[in-house]
């Protein structure tokens, strides 16, 4: 069998070992290589491995990179589907093959030393030749490969040739939901191995939370001495157990590391040691004796131009962003990350579930027939993958669990992986979600269950398994959600309901939002490309853009919401201010607590709270007359490695003085004195000279990805009901005292259900007041409405919005914790949330008043008491039709929605829909708003 169609994972490779750096010389082989892409293996050039081969006609390509993102071939996105026939272990004949060549110089000083050629990641299968000698081949794209090259290396010029295949047997094990991208996408190095060099070592650094003692032993492949200056260890034998008093433990909250040196005859290795002990006991996952709560995310490696070839700066940026948003845990979905990422997690503090490079999800579509997980011929490939991950990453304190992979069905190969991991490293529990009975894992893990099921699991009252023994085992395990709250498009909604369960039930140890970042590809015409934009014959559209960060790493509203929901400090403002510590290890001494009093959103007093034993007296507050809120914030008192002093960690608000409701003066003037109305339709056409497409009932929103849904689709129901194409029929225009009353019937074609909308126009001093009354007639059953409110249009020169209400970001019924009451101002353009696939966005909730202005003045809208506000330069229909942000072109109008409410968001793009309490059902409702002209 050809190597690229072989069940064997590789040949000629060294045994897997830890990633480390030492003072042994190394040569960085990253940089510009010669490159040639052939459409098939058969078409690939012969003799390219020959040192004398003429590659002068070839292109150049950066290593590391993916060739599809550097002008060769094209990216392709599928979620579960394999983009080739299920014909394991064979790749298709159309197998793009990239040949790489480069020369490098080896100094004379390397004479007498061995050498190792190390590839950190090559997608998906490669063979390598040095100076014409074949070294071997390897699969396992996101895992390291090393070859011994001491015998073939020579002083002076050397020629390295690498042939990479896009598809291989290994591709069957790499069906992760992401772009298919190929090439040498991680670093390549040549590492000298002086005589007496260290091949591998395994740090065992435990912490006994009862005695406060650390234990330290480093297993080494050759005799080594260990020095940890700070702990008074100098050149002690590494492989003895050293018991150390008064050690400070490592945790994600306080990532205490000790610098150490491991010395052998041949080299000195610098390492950083973190002391911690991970256990599963009493049905809980504990670190250093304490139950931990994961406020996690699933992180794919992603950069909109570089794909999975990340720079260190990007890795660091990810961690800083996580820390700044109260995230404390990462699942490395669904493959081991670049090794540098884990060093940064050790240093900055994150709990890591390190996941193996394994997924066979596409076999689901054939009822798991032929699934490699259950086929012994693949056993060695499975074991090879777990070995390479565990050996590479075993010395990181941040890694507290091994995950076998994702969505690979069940089977004995997975069990074998689990057994191997447990025997090699008894210090870390094993995770795998798709083993439904959790027979070979140490943690019960699920993805996307609804809250009521999580609640049952929290009480250990879940539905029993048929097998009593398996049930007893699973029921005794701690529980995590390895994926929940699908952050695709606008959402996720309903985060706080899960968080509440995590805090109530010790067994529920938190979860990992799916996922960290949108995998949009920067595209010259489309902004960000998603599945289908490269002409793929099979693809899964924008399902690849489902992150808490937009592709350029700007936080989406979902991330801001998550930060608020998981805040590690809970502030409650009552007669006193109560501060509750929700960290697992840290006290609150690193925080300062500030307060601010705002009247109608304007600061009238502020100060610092004196918090003692978790309490602070209410500050003395000056008298105010308008609506007044007290905001208390917990901020970093001093710089931390991940944020500066003053960075906000948590906050809370309390209403100190409610708004005084206006007493409505009798209507002295008629509505026509302030506005012009169309005599036939009764619609407002201008207000004080400002042209207006008068407000009328609106039910539609551009469906979000969560509305469209994966299993349940409220969007389908909406379109079937015709809510995107309602018509308005005038029933009559009349006068009722000083009021102008317009009655309409609003309904879609082909059905007898309707909304009766009554618009009552009156005046109140210089304001034109509108009371909208809505009454559903006919059978609406429990069909939720997209939105219920008014839509109007203003001239396109309106460009700026100021409001008093929730902000600064958007908020929806089930995603509004992060929006605080205040006074905010931004441009219309800034109010748009740039979801990669355009959809409903930008709603500002609980608005008391807003001004919409431009160079010629504008409009003030006051609620009685509040309304929800959306302002945009296109209609909901334009938004609905757009496929990419670049399809949205401003016209000569600005469209304004004033809503009573919108339906919640939910997370049905993958998971449960909107919870009952956030559904907007058709019921009689009303909205009162008053309009007045703002002069230029
Ligand atoms: C789950 C996958 O594990 C993850 O890779 C991703 O595809 C996610 O869903 C959705 O974006 S699998 C899902 C079918 C439950």
């Amino acid at each position: 069998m050809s190597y690229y169609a072989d069940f064997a994972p590789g040949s000629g490779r060294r045994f897997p070992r830890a990633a480390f750096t030492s003072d042994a010389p190394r040569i960085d082989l990253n940089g510009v290589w010669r490159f040639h892409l052939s459409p098939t293996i058969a078409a690939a050039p012969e003799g390219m491995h020959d040192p004398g081969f003429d590659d002068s006609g070839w292109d150049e390509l950066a290593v590391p990179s993916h060739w599809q993102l550097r002008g060769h071939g094209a990216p392709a996105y599928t979620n579960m589907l394999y983009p080739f026939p299920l014909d394991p272990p064979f790749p298709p004949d159309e197998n793009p093959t990239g040949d790489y060549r480069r020369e490098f110089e080896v100094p004379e000083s390397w004479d007498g030393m061995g050498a190792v050629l190390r590839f950190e990641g090559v997608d998906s299968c490669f063979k390598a030749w040095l100076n014409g000698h074949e070294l071997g081949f390897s699969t396992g794209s996101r895992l390291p490969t090393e070859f011994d090259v001491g015998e073939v290396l020579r002083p002076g010029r050397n020629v390295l040739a690498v042939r990479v295949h896009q598809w291989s047997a290994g591709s069957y094990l790499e069906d992760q939901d992401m772009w298919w991208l190929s090439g040498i996408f991680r670093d390549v190095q040549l590492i000298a191995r002086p005589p007496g060099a260290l091949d591998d070592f395994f740090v065992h650094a435990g912490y006994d939370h009862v005695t406060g003692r650390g234990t330290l032993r480093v297993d080494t492949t050759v005799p080594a001495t260990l020095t940890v200056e700070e702990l008074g260890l100098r050149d002690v034998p590494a492989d003895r157990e050293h018991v150390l008093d008064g050690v400070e433990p490592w945790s994600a909250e306080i990532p205490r590391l000790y610098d150490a040196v491991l010395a052998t005859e041949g080299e000195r290795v610098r390492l950083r040691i973190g002391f911690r002990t991970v256990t599963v006991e009493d049905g809980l996952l504990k670190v250093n004796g304490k139950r931990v709560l994961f406020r996690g995310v699933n992180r794919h490696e992603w950069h909109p131009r570089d794909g999975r070839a990340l720079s260190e700066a990007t890795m660091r940026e990810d961690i800083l962003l996580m820390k700044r948003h109260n995230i404390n845990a990462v699942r490395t979905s669904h493959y081991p990350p670049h090794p540098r990422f884990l060093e940064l997690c050790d240093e900055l503090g994150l709990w890591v579930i390190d996941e193996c490079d394994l997924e066979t999800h596409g076999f689901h579509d054939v009822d798991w027939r032929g699934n490699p997980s259950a086929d012994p011929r693949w056993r060695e490939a499975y074991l090879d993958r777990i070995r390479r991950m565990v050996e590479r990453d075993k010395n990181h304190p941040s890694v507290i669990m091994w995950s076998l992979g994702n969505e690979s069905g069940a089977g004995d190969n997975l069990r074998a992986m689990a057994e191997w991991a447990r025997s090699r490293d008894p210090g870390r529990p094993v995770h795998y979600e798709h083993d439904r009975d959790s027979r070979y894992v140490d943690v019960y893990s699920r993805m996307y269950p609804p809250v009521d099921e999580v609640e049952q699991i929290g009480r250990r009252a879940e539905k029993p398994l048929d097998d009593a023994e398996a049930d007893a085992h699973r029921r005794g395990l701690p529980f995590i959600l390895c994926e929940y709250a699908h952050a695709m498009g606008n959402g996720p909604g309903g985060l706080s309901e899960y968080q509440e369960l995590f805090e109530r039930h010790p067994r529920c140890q938190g979860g990992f939002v799916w996922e960290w970042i949108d995998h949009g590809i920067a595209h010259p015409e489309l902004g960000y490309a998603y599945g289908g934009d490269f002409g793929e014959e099979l693809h899964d559209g924008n399902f690849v853009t489902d992150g808490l960060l937009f592709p350029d790493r700007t936080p989406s509203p979902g991330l801001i919401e998550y930060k608020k929901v998981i805040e590690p400090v809970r502030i409650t403002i009552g007669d006193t201010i109560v501060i509750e510590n929700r960290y697992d290890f840290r006290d609150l001494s690193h925080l300062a607590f500030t307060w601010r009093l705002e009247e109608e959103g304007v600061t009238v007093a502020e100060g610092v709270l004196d918090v003692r034993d978790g309490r602070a007296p209410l500050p003395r507050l000056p008298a105010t007359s308008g609506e007044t809120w007290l905001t208390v914030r917990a901020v970093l008192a001093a710089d931390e490695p991940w944020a500066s002093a003053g960075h906000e960690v948590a906050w809370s608000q309390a209403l100190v003085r409610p708004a005084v409701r206006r007493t409505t003066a009798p209507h002295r003037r008629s509505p026509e004195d302030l506005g012009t109305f169309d005599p036939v339709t009764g619609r407002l056409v201008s207000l004080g000279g400002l042209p207006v497409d008068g407000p009328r009932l609106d039910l539609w929103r551009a469906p979000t990805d969560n509305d469209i849904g994966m299993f349940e689709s409220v969007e389908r129901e909406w379109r079937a009901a015709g809510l995107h194409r309602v018509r308005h029929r005038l029933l009559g225009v009349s006068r009722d005292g000083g009021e102008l009353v317009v009655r309409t019937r609003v309904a879609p074609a082909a059905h007898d259900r309707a909304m009766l909308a009554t618009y009552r126009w009156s005046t109140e001093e210089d304001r034109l007041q509108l009371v909208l009354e809505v009454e559903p007639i006919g059978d609406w059953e429990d069909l939720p409405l997209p939105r219920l409110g008014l839509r109007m249009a203003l001239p396109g020169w309106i460009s700026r919005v100021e409001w008093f209400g929730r902000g600064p970001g958007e908020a929806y019924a089930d995603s509004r914790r992060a929006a605080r009451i205040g006074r905010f101002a931004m441009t219309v353009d800034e109010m748009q949330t740039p979801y990669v696939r355009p959809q409903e966005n930008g709603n500002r909730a609980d608005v008391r008043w807003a001004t919409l202005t431009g160079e010629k003045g504008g409009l003030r809208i006051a609620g009685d008491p509040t309304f929800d506000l959306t302002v945009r330069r296109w209609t909901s229909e334009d938004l609905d039709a757009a496929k990419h942000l670049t399809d949205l072109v401003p016209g000569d109008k600005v469209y304004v929605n004033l809503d009573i409410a919108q339906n919640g968001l939910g997370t049905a793009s993958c998971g449960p829909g909107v919870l009952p309490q956030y559904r907007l059902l058709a019921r009689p409702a009303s909205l009162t708003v008053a309009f007045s002209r703002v002069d230029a």
Side-chain angles (χ1 to χ4, degrees):
M1 218 184 296
S2 318
Y3 66 95
Y4 44 81
D6 200 326
F7 290 105
S11 71
R13 304 170 304 170
R14 293 187 98 226
F15 55 85
R17 60 178 186 136
F20 64 85
T21 51
S22 77
D23 60 357
R26 26 181 92 203
I27 297 174
D28 178 357
L29 295 178
N30 291 345
V32 179
W33 292 44
R34 286 288 185 178
F35 178 74
H36 177 81
L37 185 67
S38 310
T40 62
I41 298 176
E46 259 174 59
M48 61 74 76
H49 55 273
D50 189 327
F53 181 86
D54 178 12
D55 61 17
S56 57
W58 285 17
D59 286 323
E60 290 186 332
L61 184 68
V63 167
S65 75
H66 299 282
W67 68 60
Q68 290 92 342
L69 298 181
R70 294 291 179 274
H72 304 272
Y77 165 60
T78 59
N79 167 13
M80 288 163 60
L81 305 173
Y82 287 96
F84 47 81
L86 290 187
D87 179 22
F90 302 99
D93 287 349
E94 286 166 56
N95 190 356
T97 293
D99 285 321
Y100 291 74
R101 296 181 93 252
R102 74 161 286 164
E103 296 181 5
F104 58 92
E105 294 284 321
V106 171
E108 297 283 346
S109 57
W110 282 46
D111 205 22
M113 295 196 275
V116 165
L117 178 63
R118 181 175 175 96
F119 293 85
E120 294 292 352
V122 181
D123 195 329
S124 80
C125 170
F126 72 105
K127 190 178 246 192
W129 296 262
L130 184 60
N131 300 326
H133 297 267
E134 183 177 321
L135 301 173
F137 85 95
S138 191
T139 53
S141 300
R142 272 70 59 170
L143 290 162
T145 299
E146 286 186 335
F147 298 106
D148 263 320
V149 294
E151 303 282 298
V152 248
L153 204 65
R154 51 190 186 221
R157 174 176 174 268
N158 287 264
V159 183
L160 179 57
V162 181
R163 170 162 287 183
V164 183
H165 307 291
Q166 174 152 353
W167 309 119
S168 64
S171 304
Y172 286 94
L173 309 185
E174 296 176 4
D175 188 29
Q176 290 96 339
D177 173 8
M178 61 190 194
W179 292 99
W180 296 96
L181 294 170
S182 321
I184 307 177
F185 77 101
R186 285 185 187 162
D187 314 285
V188 186
Q189 321 173 30
L190 188 71
I191 309 167
R193 302 284 69 213
L198 186 58
D199 267 328
D200 194 13
F201 61 93
F202 194 168
V203 177
H204 302 276
Y207 180 75
D208 182 332
H209 65 281
V210 179
T211 61
R213 277 192 202 120
T215 47
L216 179 59
R217 187 186 85 234
V218 184
D219 297 336
T220 52
T221 47
V222 292
T225 61
L226 178 68
T227 299
V228 191
E229 288 287 351
E230 258 192 288
L231 294 171
L233 297 181
R234 264 176 221 102
D235 291 323
V236 297
D239 59 358
R240 304 282 154 69
E241 177 125 314
H242 302 281
V243 179
L244 303 155
D245 281 323
V247 154
E248 293 171 46
W250 187 96
S251 71
E253 291 169 8
I254 307 173
R256 178 66 159 99
L257 292 173
Y258 290 88
D259 287 320
V261 176
L262 206 51
T264 69
E265 231 179 272
E267 67 185 331
R268 289 165 65 79
V269 178
R270 291 200 170 278
L271 59 151
R272 308 188 80 187
I273 296 173
F275 291 87
R276 93 278 175 285
T277 294
V278 186
T279 53
V280 175
E281 51 184 14
D282 315 321
L284 299 175
L285 176 74
K286 297 183 185 173
V287 181
N288 300 335
K290 282 195 172 164
R291 170 205 186 240
V292 290
L293 180 58
F294 297 126
R295 302 170 169 93
V297 286
N298 281 280
R299 174 182 179 268
H300 265 283
E301 294 180 314
W302 190 251
H303 185 279
R305 280 184 304 282
D306 302 330
R308 289 186 289 274
L310 296 197
S311 68
E312 178 171 340
T314 302
M315 299 179 214
R316 186 179 283 275
E317 193 183 348
D318 274 350
I319 299 179
L320 295 182
L321 279 165
M322 289 177 193
K323 297 285 289 185
R324 288 174 191 162
H325 289 87
N326 294 333
I327 287 163
N328 71 0
V330 177
R331 173 177 177 231
T332 69
S333 53
H334 301 302
Y335 42 81
H338 189 286
R340 180 70 185 134
F341 180 76
L342 296 177
E343 291 178 1
L344 294 170
C345 289
D346 292 345
E347 180 188 315
L348 293 161
L350 285 174
W351 308 117
V352 178
I353 300 183
D354 198 0
E355 187 151 279
C356 200
D357 192 0
L358 177 68
E359 174 157 344
T360 65
H361 207 171
F363 284 88
H364 173 271
D365 280 29
V366 294
D367 297 326
W368 296 107
R369 238 182 353 262
N371 183 21
S373 300
D375 181 339
R377 291 174 300 171
W378 291 96
R379 174 73 48 91
E380 184 46 33
Y382 275 59
L383 287 171
D384 175 69
R385 283 171 187 248
I386 189 90
R387 271 189 220 119
R388 283 156 74 195
M389 173 177 76
V390 170
E391 298 298 2
R392 191 194 76 168
D393 296 340
K394 59 187 181 278
N395 294 325
H396 292 287
S398 57
V399 175
I400 53 154
M401 252 194 266
W402 301 119
S403 176
L404 306 181
N406 186 57
E407 295 278 12
S408 301
D412 277 341
N413 295 340
L414 290 157
R415 179 191 295 277
M417 287 173 97
E419 280 165 5
W420 185 87
R422 227 176 264 122
S423 70
R424 174 65 174 138
D425 179 18
R428 289 181 179 96
V430 171
H431 168 273
Y432 176 62
E433 182 270 347
H434 221 74
D435 164 24
R436 289 288 143 91
D437 296 355
S438 307
R439 281 175 214 255
Y440 38 81
V441 296
D442 303 309
V443 171
Y444 180 23
S445 175
R446 291 282 304 277
M447 43 173 83
Y448 311 105
V451 278
D452 46 3
E453 198 184 345
V454 173
E455 197 267 342
Q456 283 173 5
I457 297 172
R459 289 188 286 111
R460 297 191 197 263
E462 65 269 27
K463 202 167 145 273
L465 293 170
D466 293 340
D467 178 324
E469 200 185 317
D471 187 68
H473 169 69
R474 195 179 72 178
R475 207 171 294 277
L477 297 179
F479 178 69
I480 63 163
L481 293 172
C482 67
E483 294 178 25
Y484 80 116
H486 198 246
M488 185 179 182
N490 193 345
L495 282 168
S496 52
E497 281 73 15
Y498 286 102
Q499 194 64 26
E500 203 257 316
L501 294 174
F502 302 159
E503 291 174 10
R504 177 147 34 107
H505 299 290
R507 188 189 192 191
C508 297
Q509 296 196 242
F512 296 77
V513 166
W514 185 269
E515 68 173 307
W516 175 237
I517 184 169
D518 285 343
H519 313 199
I521 296 182
H523 189 284
E525 283 104 51
L526 302 174
Y528 291 108
Y530 50 77
D533 289 336
F534 298 97
E536 302 102 294
E537 64 178 12
L538 283 181
H539 67 82
D540 287 291
N542 67 317
F543 204 64
V544 78
T545 53
D546 53 1
L548 293 169
L549 294 179
F550 294 114
D552 67 357
R553 289 191 155 66
T554 4
S556 78
L559 181 56
I560 310 295
E561 180 75 2
Y562 194 40
K563 172 182 180 176
K564 175 69 180 134
V565 167
I566 59 178
E567 58 189 14
V569 178
R570 177 92 14 99
I571 303 167
T572 313
I573 307 173
D575 296 339
T576 57
I577 297 169
V578 179
I579 316 283
E580 194 190 330
N581 180 359
R582 294 196 158 268
Y583 287 103
D584 292 325
F585 296 93
R586 228 177 166 176
D587 63 24
L588 300 181
S589 57
H590 66 294
L591 298 174
F593 294 86
T594 64
W595 63 272
R596 190 165 65 214
L597 192 73
E598 288 168 334
E599 182 178 9
E600 287 237 352
V602 178
T603 303
V604 290
E606 56 193 332
V608 177
L609 288 179
D610 184 15
V611 176
R612 277 179 213 184
D613 299 327
R615 280 173 183 275
L618 271 185
R620 289 170 72 84
L621 303 176
T624 51
S625 54
E627 181 178 336
T628 306
W629 286 80
L630 176 64
T631 306
V632 174
R633 303 162 68 225
V635 300
L636 290 181
D639 290 352
E640 295 267 337
W642 45 271
S644 331
H647 164 83
E648 184 179 279
V649 172
W651 60 272
S652 183
Q653 280 190 311
L655 180 65
V656 170
R657 167 183 287 278
V660 186
R661 289 202 60 176
R662 290 172 67 118
T663 42
T664 322
H667 318 297
R668 293 217 181 74
R669 293 189 274 184
S670 77
E672 285 89 341
D673 293 339
L674 294 177
T676 311
F677 292 82
D678 181 301
V680 177
T681 63
R683 279 183 80 184
L684 180 70
V685 292
S686 82
L687 178 95
L690 178 74
V692 180
D693 281 359
R696 61 175 193 166
L697 187 72
D698 191 16
L699 304 178
W700 186 240
R701 76 177 180 198
T704 65
D705 294 315
N706 287 313
D707 293 337
I708 292 167
M710 190 188 220
F711 306 111
E712 58 178 276
S713 172
V714 78
E715 177 248 9
R716 229 177 297 139
E717 293 177 55
W718 290 345
R719 290 201 202 271
L723 298 186
H724 59 309
R725 46 170 172 77
V726 294
R727 297 286 185 264
H728 299 244
R729 181 167 72 82
L730 184 66
L731 301 177
V733 180
S734 61
R735 209 154 280 277
D736 182 0
E739 282 183 357
L740 174 70
V741 182
V742 182
R743 290 194 168 80
T744 60
R745 183 182 191 279
V746 182
H751 210 283
D752 61 357
R753 61 166 85 93
M755 292 284 175
L756 293 184
T758 305
Y759 307 80
R760 298 181 177 280
W761 292 98
S762 62
T763 63
E764 202 216 50
E765 292 169 5
D766 57 343
R767 313 192 312 171
L768 189 57
Q769 179 168 288
L770 169 63
V771 178
L772 166 75
E773 288 160 1
V774 191
E775 190 196 333
I777 53 169
D779 186 4
W780 287 85
E781 290 170 8
D782 51 6
L783 174 70
L785 304 172
R787 67 169 4 114
L788 184 64
L790 296 164
R791 192 202 304 190
M792 59 196 282
L794 297 174
W797 48 257
I798 296 280
S799 59
R800 191 169 176 277
V801 182
E802 185 175 357
W803 75 97
F804 176 42
R806 283 193 192 278
E810 65 184 30
Y812 292 82
D814 53 358
S815 174
R816 69 203 298 273
R817 301 280 171 123
R820 64 185 83 191
I821 302 289
R823 190 185 288 210
F824 307 97
M826 51 182 83
T827 63
V828 171
D829 297 326
E830 285 165 350
M831 288 181 86
Q832 314 309 309
T833 308
Y835 295 112
V836 170
R837 188 194 68 82
Q839 54 197 280
E840 163 60 36
N841 71 85
N843 182 62
R844 297 319 193 269
D846 300 334
V847 174
R848 281 77 169 146
W849 55 256
T851 57
L852 286 71
T853 54
E855 72 241 18
K856 299 179 202 152
L859 188 67
R860 184 175 201 276
I861 309 170
D864 186 10
T866 63
F867 56 94
D868 276 17
L869 173 69
T870 308
V871 187
R872 53 171 72 107
R873 298 193 173 281
W874 32 79
T875 62
S876 296
E877 291 73 20
D878 297 333
L879 202 54
D880 188 356
K883 299 272 177 274
H884 293 91
L885 286 167
T886 45
D887 295 337
L888 294 169
V889 189
D892 58 359
K893 288 198 171 128
V894 162
Y895 297 87
V896 181
N897 275 95
L898 310 173
D899 285 318
I900 298 170
Q902 281 195 47
N903 199 38
L905 300 172
T907 179
S909 56
C910 185
V914 177
L915 290 168
Q917 62 269 36
Y918 303 122
R919 280 182 206 146
L920 173 62
L921 297 179
R923 300 275 182 271
S926 73
L927 174 69
T928 303
V929 281
F931 301 98
S932 49
R933 181 78 162 96
V934 177
D935 293 328

